[in-house]
Amino acid sequence: MSETATTEFDGSVVHPDLEYERKRCSFRIPDFTYALYGREGFAVLTKLRLALARNPAFDLRYLWSADGTTQQYVRGCWLAEEVVKVIRQLELIDRDDAIGPLQILAGEDMFVMLHLTMFLPTLKNMCDEEQARYWVPLAEDFRIIGTYCQTELAHGSNVSGLETTADFDDKTDEWVLNTPSLQSTKWWPGGLAKSCTHCVCMARLRIHDKDYGVHPFILQVRDLNTHESLPGVKLFHIGKKLGYNSMDNGGVQLHNVRIPRRNLLMKYCHVDRQGTYKPLGSKKLMYGTMTFTRKQIIMAAGPQLAKSVVIAIRYSAVRRQFPMTMKKHETKDSSRDAEVQILDYSTQQITLFPLLAAAVAYTVTGIWMDAFYNSFIEDAKKDDFSKLEEIHAVTSCLKAMMSLSVADGMEKCRKACGGHGFLLASGIPIQFVNFVPVATYEGDRVVLSVQTARVLLKIVQRKMMSRDPKHTLAGTTLEYIHNFDPFGDHQPPAIENTPWFDPDWLMEIHRRRSCGLVYKAAQQYAAETSSGKDMMEALDLVKVEFTRLGTAHAQVLVLHFFLEAVKRVELVEVREVWVDLWLCLALSWCDEHFGEFVITRALGPDHHDGLMTAFKTILRKIRPNAVAIADAFWIPDQLLNSALGRYDGRVYEALMESTKMEPLNRLDVPPGYLEHIQYILHPERKKRSSPAHSKL
Amino acid sequence: MSETATTEFDGSVVHPDLEYERKRCSFRIPDFTYALYGREGFAVLTKLRLALARNPAFDLRYLWSADGTTQQYVRGCWLAEEVVKVIRQLELIDRDDAIGPLQILAGEDMFVMLHLTMFLPTLKNMCDEEQARYWVPLAEDFRIIGTYCQTELAHGSNVSGLETTADFDDKTDEWVLNTPSLQSTKWWPGGLAKSCTHCVCMARLRIHDKDYGVHPFILQVRDLNTHESLPGVKLFHIGKKLGYNSMDNGGVQLHNVRIPRRNLLMKYCHVDRQGTYKPLGSKKLMYGTMTFTRKQIIMAAGPQLAKSVVIAIRYSAVRRQFPMTMKKHETKDSSRDAEVQILDYSTQQITLFPLLAAAVAYTVTGIWMDAFYNSFIEDAKKDDFSKLEEIHAVTSCLKAMMSLSVADGMEKCRKACGGHGFLLASGIPIQFVNFVPVATYEGDRVVLSVQTARVLLKIVQRKMMSRDPKHTLAGTTLEYIHNFDPFGDHQPPAIENTPWFDPDWLMEIHRRRSCGLVYKAAQQYAAETSSGKDMMEALDLVKVEFTRLGTAHAQVLVLHFFLEAVKRVELVEVREVWVDLWLCLALSWCDEHFGEFVITRALGPDHHDGLMTAFKTILRKIRPNAVAIADAFWIPDQLLNSALGRYDGRVYEALMESTKMEPLNRLDVPPGYLEHIQYILHPERKKRSSPAHSKL
């Protein structure tokens, strides 16, 4: 494995600090990479990296000085064109295992990605067979480009509150679509502004004034030949966002737009020529797109976090600040002044190493998630929906916890790079602003916590009513909740000989924390409802607790899947490093949520000293391997897009070089001087002052 | 007090939800405003608001669709010109009480602000009398524009590591300035790229090859007539940042730049014609600029946070989502469907109300900070430096805690606005990206925590060695650390009748948490040093604990000053609301840092249930006043610059209106279609495909 860095200067000279770090690590870097992605995953990555390498469309440095949405959107279109070429040439359209990595490797999200991850899956899930035969090939061949059009200006998570209407006109056998108010303006769909030709539009299905609720309709919005928007379809761009501006999120107002009756997607219901409405089959898979999208988010979380962590760790190995005498073992280069690599500071380690561990943990959790989702789909094809509840709970809590953790983690990485982290050329700001909406879309923490908690509380409820559902839970991610004995004597373990480095024991106290929170919330909720409160009101009273138990449960799952993965690592020298990372993550969460551990008696107040000692021991143990672990994510420089995170570590050269891209550096005397600054310095040059303030 | 909203549509029609909220509050909004800013502060604000109103330079909506750095910089220059006009016309140059609020009200930071808050104070502090007579009037009249030029590409917090040199040439009586390496390139000074004519440049003073360390030199960088950069002075813009792009942060490389001997600022040392170096007077005020700048940051923190909180609270009162039956008391408008104001949700309240309380608390802490700083300066003029240690500790820990808290708080507010919070037109993203560097510059959390901890540990040390310094600490912010008895029987209070609504008791447990962390860290540090470890190494081993005790100490101070302010509020109906806010903040910190409260025995594990019950009670109590409290910050719509936070609450109209500013909405078929999208839809239109991939 070698890095083909996007360099303007000689990339072959690696900074001696990084060279040293790579030599002194305790394992072979490629072995870690194989263990992380698996042989198959690694083969896919290799193929994709090759297809993208040296294609200037994937050189993302223009983002460092990106102008407004227009420039960025046009670049996004170029990126989209090249991505589609790669998909066509490598025949990836049906390869879910490749589309996800391709989305990450492309660097920027644009309309084509939503076409692939929302529009196409929705068609596959919502069309009846005849419809699928017509629409799916068109979408798979990009003869149409679509998006998923649901949220409205005033309506988000509450889908049943949507206002857009589709009225059946039995004279013409058509639906008439309208957004009847400002509030019902469709708002947010990615690609809808300028790129899409079609969308799946969610609207209230009405027949002869009877409202059947929200249903999916396929709606063409632009002419396939001219790309002009169609009559009655008022499309617009919703404006610049904090990030994610390669994506043209759009809005639409519909005025009596007519589409054929068969444009209602008819897998789960049927409306005939006479306007007779008939529900069809099991609705259990109706919200399949949402589960699919959350699964995709969970799969991407680890690699996304890794990008920022790799930058921060490499930079911290090159950046030096303040002397630290007596640290001879770290300072091997005696010719330099005695300033220390900032990665040697405990504060830097306690910030970055748990994030490094999380990046590995989330990556392997994502791989598990994908496999679990696929097995669920296989079962569903055989009409077996036994995993429905579990997959719902798992995707909800993992998406909520991981998306927030990654967004926060990126910002921590950025701050850990000091002042330079604030430059777009550092790479992390762009990663952060592009990723952070993930924490909101497809369900934010609150909405998803309620979903998770409902499933968990049901288990408690059933157990308390002695209806033992154990046989259905055995081997599932929910089993430990059932197995917990709320009436047991839950005293924190003795302080002496606390086994801080025993993964099974740490797993146990994490489970105890989670169960403690779940059973306590269940008790509170039961008390509120039995006191006569309405279900929604009682729910609001424990919602705060739900968000917390959702996080605790998600962390149990991540630690569990990570530990399973650790056990599967074959090479002992790699496995040892994974054990360190696992311990680092588990201990960091004990520290971060220490309050919850003591509340639930998983730990006692006096455990904190021992915890910190153990935590710091692991941090020091990881230190010599940190750069090598970062390397093992095998992220190309092109994707990091960072002057600070380059494989060759030549950060100062790269920063200096990056200033050449700044348009303001084209002129010595700037625009702004003649118009404004000269009048500050020389007010007499302006014959008369602006009348606006002369009266004050 | 009325709002002059920047509206395109009729601003006089206020959304009924907001109208209702404003009517039902328990106090008169202007009374709260007077209590918050004080009569004098309010008078200054009124004057400034009047001077800025209806001036199109202060209409910040261009930021919603801002293009690259050039456009934003030119707008920044316009803003600067207008700010200078206001300063000249209202004669504010010497009015520190007005410059701070003006900086906030202007909305965007640009070079003029650094001229006022860093360059000018440095001149005043570092010039000898003769130099001051020459330079200060020039700067005060904006005949020169300056900045503070210290950090280098590879050197930040460690000032003594700076590499830029100033060699004395006794033949010509000049200094010769050089940046001898890539690493020593000056990097970051705001305004240096394009705007400044001068700077205070920090460089190693060397005479006849003897290095006297880093000293301040005044250096002209651009011609006063043409604004062209001077020979040997290679100025450049360091590139686009995450935010703060109205400021032209720059870099400079110096090649044998000659300046007169008297351009060394000579208050704290003197170099004569022969090159004889003589230190002068007390160095205690040498780092005065830094203390001044931190004080300014502390003063701005509350108002900055308020901007985001006001937006999130007003929007949460207008936005409705999901029905919540049985909540009749909240739904007064029966004609609407039963969706609930999202501000009624406990999860929204627990996110926003502690931030609302913090915005008030930080504002009053800032006012205290200013007064304390001024009294320190008065003392210093009389050569009384008894408050030096305290002001150092106070500014360090408050700056560290508050800047992080405000940055995080803004992002929480943004997320609390759901998807729409991601739009630049929501206002919060711009506030966040502009504010977030404050957490890094002028000392980040780690650097400042070490400063704070050193002062606090010294108190413990003196006490433990029975050298009672109590007489010097009485009445100071450090006294409670001294008064703590580490050998006392610190058992958590009994669960029964815990006085959760008693501010004095809550103050006490916060102090106990802080003291517990301080004494524990002192003990650890002593153990490390007495085991023979080097001072720097021992320090690194407890640095993590230092960052935590720094936060705890800062929170004690904020709660203390806030409580003092509460007690001073005259009107009982306002004071009652302030008490609620105080309790909300104190309880939220108990919850957030519950682990630390149990570790230090300030609380026991079983207190958490009661804490949450009390916390939720206060949240519900604040709810009916929330919008009115937000209003009381009296922030003009122009400054909020938000479609979601408008005084009139017409958020959906404003969002729709904001899309008119998006350049991509000028054409139906976008740029990008002809170049790229058409070849995705119609690959046959491209005669031959790009050769780049044809081989794959």
Side-chain angles (χ1 to χ4, degrees):
Chain A
M1 275 183 302
S2 74
E3 295 297 319
T4 34
T6 317
T7 53
E8 309 73 28
F9 37 92
D10 178 12
S12 63
V13 181
V14 170
H15 191 290
D17 282 344
L18 288 188
E19 209 162 42
Y20 171 76
E21 298 287 345
R22 282 165 187 146
K23 270 186 202 142
R24 71 157 164 175
C25 67
S26 66
F27 60 96
R28 280 186 63 240
I29 296 172
D31 292 336
F32 192 121
T33 309
Y34 300 144
L36 184 60
Y37 300 119
R39 294 272 158 184
E40 280 177 37
F42 184 74
V44 169
L45 275 182
T46 308
K47 200 170 163 186
L48 290 174
R49 280 181 59 147
L50 193 68
L52 269 51
R54 274 177 288 276
N55 182 335
F58 297 96
D59 179 351
L60 302 173
R61 281 176 298 167
Y62 70 92
L63 293 167
W64 295 353
S65 58
D67 282 350
T69 40
T70 306
Q71 190 206 358
Q72 205 173 331
Y73 172 67
V74 175
R75 282 292 302 228
C77 292
W78 183 20
L79 207 56
E81 189 188 356
E82 298 300 315
V83 164
V84 171
K85 273 188 204 163
V86 170
I87 291 171
R88 282 177 167 145
Q89 282 159 5
L90 303 183
E91 295 179 356
L92 303 178
I93 192 66
D94 252 343
R95 293 277 304 276
D96 275 352
D97 63 326
I99 293 293
L102 177 60
Q103 184 168 13
I104 296 167
L105 278 172
E108 286 282 294
D109 249 11
M110 15 67 199
F111 60 90
V112 161
M113 297 309 178
L114 280 187
H115 174 85
L116 293 167
T117 61
M118 297 221 43
F119 181 64
L120 189 50
T122 303
L123 290 182
K124 287 181 178 174
N125 185 31
M126 300 280 203
C127 285
D128 66 25
E129 281 183 28
E130 188 190 69
Q131 290 174 325
R133 274 196 303 276
Y134 180 76
W135 292 110
V136 171
L138 286 175
E140 288 192 335
D141 202 26
F142 301 98
R143 293 293 165 168
I144 60 175
I145 297 170
T147 190
Y148 183 79
C149 185
Q150 178 173 301
T151 52
E152 298 172 358
L153 193 46
H155 306 284
S157 302
N158 182 19
V159 178
S160 64
L162 293 175
E163 288 183 61
T164 301
T165 51
D167 289 288
F168 185 59
D169 180 347
D170 56 9
K171 288 183 212 74
T172 60
D173 199 25
E174 288 174 319
W175 301 102
V176 186
L177 269 64
N178 277 292
T179 49
S181 62
L182 170 68
Q183 281 75 9
S184 69
T185 306
K186 290 287 180 189
W187 191 280
W188 271 118
L192 184 63
K194 296 288 159 185
S195 312
C196 288
T197 61
H198 288 68
C199 67
V200 171
C201 179
M202 301 301 283
R204 313 197 74 80
L205 187 159
R206 298 196 299 196
I207 302 171
H208 309 137
D209 289 333
K210 181 164 176 196
D211 188 330
Y212 291 85
V214 174
H215 283 69
F217 298 83
I218 190 159
L219 169 70
Q220 182 172 351
V221 293
R222 287 184 181 272
D223 184 274
L224 282 175
N225 191 39
T226 64
H227 209 62
E228 283 165 8
S229 52
L230 297 179
V233 178
K234 199 181 145 197
L235 294 167
F236 58 91
H237 190 289
I238 61 168
K240 200 172 179 184
K241 296 148 291 178
L242 175 55
Y244 206 66
N245 285 304
S246 297
M247 182 75 83
D248 57 316
N249 293 85
V252 67
Q253 291 177 337
L254 303 171
H255 302 285
N256 294 320
V257 178
R258 289 178 165 268
I259 55 174
R261 173 173 52 89
R262 285 286 286 160
N263 276 28
L264 166 68
L265 300 187
M266 293 198 187
K267 181 160 180 186
Y268 298 104
C269 71
H270 190 270
V271 173
D272 65 18
R273 182 63 188 89
Q274 284 69 44
T276 315
Y277 179 94
K278 209 166 61 188
L280 280 184
S282 161
K283 292 224 161 12
K284 285 182 173 160
L285 268 178
M286 192 141 143
Y287 296 103
T289 308
M290 224 158 221
T291 310
F292 175 78
T293 313
R294 284 182 198 145
K295 179 215 59 154
Q296 294 291 102
I297 292 171
I298 292 162
M299 285 187 69
Q304 293 289 8
L305 178 57
K307 290 195 298 184
S308 294
V309 178
V310 169
I311 293 170
I313 288 200
R314 285 186 183 155
Y315 177 59
S316 299
V318 171
R319 177 77 173 185
R320 288 169 175 267
Q321 190 165 278
F322 288 112
M324 197 199 282
T325 46
M326 306 298 290
K327 281 219 131 185
K328 280 176 231 120
H329 54 291
E330 300 291 356
T331 326
K332 74 278 162 198
D333 181 357
S334 59
S335 69
R336 286 197 58 140
D337 59 1
E339 282 196 313
V340 176
Q341 290 170 292
I342 60 173
L343 196 55
D344 285 337
Y345 289 114
S346 61
T347 37
Q348 198 76 353
Q349 294 171 9
I350 207 170
T351 304
L352 296 180
F353 294 172
L355 294 171
L356 185 66
V360 175
Y362 297 171
T363 301
V364 301
T365 302
I367 292 168
W368 171 86
M369 184 73 249
D370 189 44
F372 185 69
Y373 177 84
N374 289 336
S375 80
F376 166 73
I377 293 293
E378 286 310 310
D379 290 355
K381 283 179 188 163
K382 294 173 236 150
D383 261 332
D384 170 3
F385 292 98
S386 56
K387 287 178 187 150
L388 188 68
E389 197 168 59
E390 186 184 7
I391 202 164
H392 193 54
V394 166
T395 53
S396 295
C397 78
L398 286 180
K399 187 273 178 185
M401 187 279 278
M402 283 160 70
S403 60
L404 276 174
S405 159
V406 171
D408 291 351
M410 286 175 160
E411 174 59 10
K412 280 182 194 157
C413 289
R414 194 192 63 71
K415 288 202 182 90
C417 293
H420 295 338
F422 194 54
L423 293 167
L424 293 191
S426 78
I428 304 181
I430 296 166
Q431 295 169 11
F432 174 75
V433 297
N434 281 352
F435 183 84
V436 83
V438 178
T440 302
Y441 64 57
E442 305 302 318
D444 77 354
R445 187 188 179 203
V446 173
V447 169
L448 295 179
S449 295
V450 174
Q451 310 275 351
T452 309
R454 277 183 168 160
V455 174
L456 302 187
L457 261 61
K458 216 186 282 176
I459 294 170
V460 176
Q461 225 169 15
R462 283 192 217 129
K463 175 173 176 144
M464 291 294 118
M465 299 170 86
S466 295
R467 288 189 230 136
D468 191 342
K470 180 147 190 199
H471 59 289
T472 63
L473 292 176
T476 74
T477 55
L478 302 166
E479 187 180 10
Y480 80 98
I481 303 279
H482 176 81
N483 289 349
F484 181 73
D485 177 8
F487 306 114
D489 180 26
H490 296 296
Q491 290 309 313
I495 298 291
E496 305 307 312
N497 306 319
T498 319
W500 291 113
F501 303 115
D502 175 357
D504 293 327
W505 179 79
L506 282 169
M507 216 43 258
E508 184 50 37
I509 64 167
H510 271 91
R511 282 197 206 97
R512 209 196 283 184
R513 161 196 171 214
S514 176
C515 289
L517 296 179
V518 171
Y519 279 77
K520 195 186 270 265
Q523 200 179 15
Q524 274 180 274
Y525 182 67
E528 299 292 356
T529 43
S530 69
S531 80
K533 287 210 180 64
D534 176 84
M535 198 262 272
M536 291 301 279
E537 205 173 357
L539 197 115
D540 189 61
L541 289 167
V542 289
K543 238 185 206 173
V544 171
E545 284 70 19
F546 282 6
T547 59
R548 294 174 184 189
L549 71 85
T551 302
H553 177 57
Q555 290 179 342
V556 165
L557 299 186
V558 168
L559 288 175
H560 172 74
F561 297 127
F562 188 12
L563 190 56
E564 294 293 301
V566 170
K567 289 172 182 165
R568 283 195 303 272
V569 174
E570 283 166 22
L571 283 167
V572 61
E573 61 268 30
V574 174
R575 191 166 61 244
E576 278 172 0
V577 177
W578 282 46
V579 169
D580 291 342
L581 291 170
W582 190 93
L583 290 170
C584 178
L585 187 62
L587 293 169
S588 78
W589 282 343
C590 287
D591 177 38
E592 188 181 342
H593 302 281
F594 191 74
E596 292 180 358
F597 282 87
V598 292
I599 293 167
T600 56
R601 297 287 192 278
L603 290 172
D606 290 330
H607 278 108
H608 198 259
D609 286 348
L611 166 62
M612 290 307 288
T613 306
F615 191 8
K616 288 179 184 176
T617 303
I618 285 295
L619 294 175
R620 276 192 300 274
K621 209 168 158 216
I622 291 173
R623 169 65 188 88
N625 285 322
V627 168
I629 297 167
D631 286 351
F633 280 98
W634 200 49
I635 305 173
D637 274 4
Q638 155 200 295
L639 182 58
L640 292 178
N641 195 29
S642 167
L644 303 185
R646 302 160 58 93
Y647 184 81
D648 69 9
R650 297 180 66 191
V651 300
Y652 299 125
E653 291 89 341
L655 282 173
M656 200 65 220
E657 185 77 16
S658 76
T659 63
K660 289 184 188 160
M661 300 185 64
E662 169 53 49
L664 274 169
N665 281 331
R666 282 176 209 143
L667 286 171
D668 178 28
V669 177
Y673 175 74
L674 283 179
E675 303 98 297
H676 304 293
I677 295 178
Q678 70 161 327
Y679 300 119
I680 296 174
L681 290 163
H682 312 283
E684 63 281 3
R685 286 188 188 170
K686 211 162 200 169
K687 295 279 153 54
R688 49 202 183 81
S689 68
S690 151
H693 287 288
S694 55
K695 282 164 287 186
L696 285 174
Chain B
M1 275 184 300
S2 74
E3 294 297 319
T4 34
T6 317
T7 54
E8 310 72 29
F9 38 90
D10 179 11
S12 63
V13 181
V14 170
H15 192 289
D17 283 344
L18 288 189
E19 208 162 43
Y20 171 75
E21 298 286 346
R22 282 164 187 148
K23 270 185 200 140
R24 71 158 163 173
C25 67
S26 66
F27 61 95
R28 282 186 60 240
I29 296 171
D31 292 336
F32 192 121
T33 310
Y34 301 143
L36 185 60
Y37 300 119
R39 295 273 158 184
E40 281 175 37
F42 185 73
V44 170
L45 276 182
T46 308
K47 199 169 161 184
L48 291 174
R49 279 181 61 146
L50 194 69
L52 269 51
R54 273 177 289 276
N55 181 335
F58 297 97
D59 180 352
L60 302 173
R61 282 175 298 167
Y62 70 93
L63 293 167
W64 296 353
S65 56
D67 283 349
T69 41
T70 306
Q71 191 207 358
Q72 205 172 330
Y73 172 67
V74 175
R75 282 292 302 228
C77 291
W78 183 19
L79 207 56
E81 190 188 355
E82 298 300 315
V83 164
V84 171
K85 273 188 202 162
V86 171
I87 291 171
R88 282 176 167 147
Q89 282 158 7
L90 302 183
E91 295 178 356
L92 302 178
I93 191 68
D94 252 343
R95 294 276 302 277
D96 275 351
D97 64 326
I99 293 293
L102 177 60
Q103 182 167 14
I104 295 167
L105 279 171
E108 286 283 294
D109 250 11
M110 14 67 199
F111 60 89
V112 161
M113 296 309 178
L114 280 187
H115 173 85
L116 293 167
T117 60
M118 296 220 45
F119 181 65
L120 190 49
T122 304
L123 289 183
K124 287 180 178 174
N125 184 31
M126 301 278 203
C127 285
D128 66 26
E129 281 183 29
E130 188 191 67
Q131 290 173 324
R133 274 196 304 275
Y134 179 76
W135 291 109
V136 171
L138 285 174
E140 287 193 333
D141 201 26
F142 302 97
R143 293 294 165 167
I144 60 176
I145 297 170
T147 190
Y148 184 79
C149 185
Q150 179 173 301
T151 52
E152 298 172 358
L153 193 45
H155 306 284
S157 302
N158 181 19
V159 178
S160 65
L162 294 175
E163 288 183 61
T164 301
T165 51
D167 290 288
F168 185 60
D169 181 346
D170 56 9
K171 289 184 211 74
T172 61
D173 200 24
E174 288 173 320
W175 301 103
V176 186
L177 270 63
N178 278 291
T179 50
S181 61
L182 170 67
Q183 281 75 9
S184 69
T185 305
K186 290 287 178 189
W187 191 279
W188 271 117
L192 184 63
K194 297 288 160 185
S195 312
C196 288
T197 61
H198 288 68
C199 68
V200 171
C201 179
M202 302 300 283
R204 313 196 74 81
L205 187 159
R206 299 196 297 198
I207 302 171
H208 308 139
D209 287 333
K210 182 167 174 193
D211 188 329
Y212 290 86
V214 174
H215 284 70
F217 297 82
I218 190 158
L219 169 70
Q220 182 171 352
V221 293
R222 287 185 180 272
D223 183 275
L224 281 175
N225 191 39
T226 63
H227 209 63
E228 285 165 5
S229 52
L230 296 180
V233 178
K234 198 181 146 200
L235 293 167
F236 58 91
H237 191 289
I238 61 169
K240 200 171 179 186
K241 297 149 290 179
L242 175 55
Y244 206 67
N245 285 304
S246 297
M247 182 75 82
D248 57 316
N249 293 84
V252 67
Q253 292 177 335
L254 303 171
H255 302 284
N256 294 320
V257 177
R258 290 178 165 268
I259 55 175
R261 174 173 51 89
R262 285 286 287 160
N263 275 29
L264 166 68
L265 300 187
M266 293 197 185
K267 183 160 175 184
Y268 299 104
C269 71
H270 191 270
V271 173
D272 65 18
R273 182 66 189 85
Q274 284 68 45
T276 316
Y277 179 94
K278 208 165 62 186
L280 280 184
S282 160
K283 293 225 161 13
K284 285 182 173 160
L285 269 178
M286 194 140 143
Y287 296 103
T289 309
M290 225 158 220
T291 311
F292 175 79
T293 313
R294 285 182 197 145
K295 180 218 52 153
Q296 294 292 102
I297 292 170
I298 292 161
M299 286 187 69
Q304 293 287 9
L305 177 58
K307 290 194 298 185
S308 295
V309 178
V310 169
I311 292 169
I313 288 201
R314 285 185 183 155
Y315 177 60
S316 299
V318 170
R319 177 77 173 184
R320 287 168 177 269
Q321 189 165 279
F322 289 111
M324 196 199 283
T325 47
M326 308 297 290
K327 280 220 131 185
K328 280 175 231 122
H329 55 290
E330 299 292 356
T331 326
K332 72 279 160 198
D333 181 357
S334 58
S335 69
R336 287 197 58 141
D337 60 0
E339 281 195 314
V340 177
Q341 291 169 291
I342 60 172
L343 197 55
D344 285 338
Y345 289 114
S346 60
T347 37
Q348 198 77 352
Q349 294 171 8
I350 208 170
T351 303
L352 296 180
F353 294 172
L355 295 171
L356 185 65
V360 176
Y362 297 171
T363 301
V364 300
T365 301
I367 293 169
W368 172 85
M369 185 72 249
D370 190 44
F372 185 68
Y373 178 83
N374 289 336
S375 81
F376 166 72
I377 293 294
E378 286 310 309
D379 290 354
K381 282 178 187 162
K382 295 173 236 148
D383 261 330
D384 170 3
F385 292 98
S386 55
K387 287 178 187 149
L388 187 69
E389 197 168 58
E390 186 184 7
I391 202 162
H392 193 54
V394 166
T395 53
S396 295
C397 78
L398 287 180
K399 188 272 177 184
M401 187 279 279
M402 284 160 68
S403 60
L404 276 174
S405 159
V406 170
D408 291 351
M410 286 175 160
E411 174 60 9
K412 282 182 194 157
C413 288
R414 194 192 64 70
K415 288 202 182 89
C417 292
H420 294 338
F422 193 54
L423 293 167
L424 292 192
S426 78
I428 304 181
I430 297 166
Q431 294 169 11
F432 174 75
V433 297
N434 281 351
F435 184 85
V436 84
V438 178
T440 303
Y441 63 57
E442 304 303 318
D444 78 354
R445 187 186 179 205
V446 173
V447 168
L448 294 179
S449 295
V450 173
Q451 310 276 349
T452 309
R454 276 183 168 160
V455 174
L456 301 187
L457 261 61
K458 216 186 282 176
I459 295 170
V460 176
Q461 224 170 15
R462 283 194 217 128
K463 176 174 174 143
M464 291 295 119
M465 299 170 86
S466 297
R467 287 189 230 136
D468 192 341
K470 179 147 190 198
H471 58 289
T472 63
L473 292 176
T476 73
T477 54
L478 302 167
E479 188 181 9
Y480 80 97
I481 302 279
H482 176 82
N483 289 350
F484 181 75
D485 177 8
F487 306 113
D489 180 26
H490 296 296
Q491 289 309 314
I495 297 291
E496 304 307 313
N497 306 318
T498 319
W500 291 112
F501 303 115
D502 176 355
D504 293 328
W505 181 78
L506 282 169
M507 216 44 258
E508 185 49 39
I509 64 167
H510 271 91
R511 281 197 208 97
R512 209 196 285 182
R513 160 195 171 215
S514 176
C515 289
L517 297 179
V518 171
Y519 279 77
K520 195 186 270 265
Q523 201 179 14
Q524 275 180 273
Y525 183 66
E528 299 292 357
T529 43
S530 70
S531 79
K533 286 209 180 66
D534 176 84
M535 200 263 272
M536 291 301 279
E537 204 173 357
L539 197 116
D540 189 62
L541 289 166
V542 289
K543 238 186 205 172
V544 171
E545 284 70 19
F546 282 6
T547 60
R548 295 174 184 191
L549 70 86
T551 301
H553 178 57
Q555 291 179 342
V556 165
L557 299 186
V558 168
L559 289 175
H560 172 74
F561 297 127
F562 188 12
L563 191 56
E564 294 293 301
V566 170
K567 289 173 183 165
R568 283 195 304 272
V569 174
E570 284 166 22
L571 284 165
V572 61
E573 60 268 29
V574 174
R575 192 167 59 244
E576 278 171 0
V577 178
W578 282 46
V579 169
D580 291 343
L581 290 170
W582 191 92
L583 290 170
C584 178
L585 188 63
L587 293 169
S588 78
W589 283 343
C590 287
D591 177 38
E592 188 181 342
H593 303 281
F594 191 74
E596 292 181 357
F597 281 88
V598 293
I599 294 166
T600 57
R601 297 286 192 280
L603 291 171
D606 291 330
H607 278 109
H608 198 258
D609 285 349
L611 166 62
M612 290 309 287
T613 306
F615 191 8
K616 288 179 183 175
T617 303
I618 285 294
L619 294 175
R620 276 192 300 275
K621 208 168 159 215
I622 290 172
R623 168 66 187 88
N625 285 323
V627 169
I629 297 167
D631 285 352
F633 279 99
W634 201 49
I635 304 173
D637 275 4
Q638 156 200 294
L639 182 58
L640 292 179
N641 195 29
S642 166
L644 304 184
R646 303 160 57 93
Y647 184 82
D648 68 8
R650 297 182 65 192
V651 300
Y652 299 125
E653 292 89 340
L655 282 174
M656 200 66 220
E657 185 77 17
S658 76
T659 63
K660 290 185 188 159
M661 300 183 64
E662 170 53 49
L664 274 169
N665 282 329
R666 282 176 210 144
L667 286 171
D668 178 28
V669 177
Y673 175 74
L674 283 179
E675 303 97 298
H676 304 292
I677 295 179
Q678 69 161 329
Y679 300 118
I680 296 174
L681 290 163
H682 312 284
E684 63 279 5
R685 286 188 189 170
K686 211 161 200 170
K687 295 280 155 54
R688 50 201 183 82
S689 68
S690 149
H693 288 288
S694 53
K695 282 164 287 182
L696 284 175

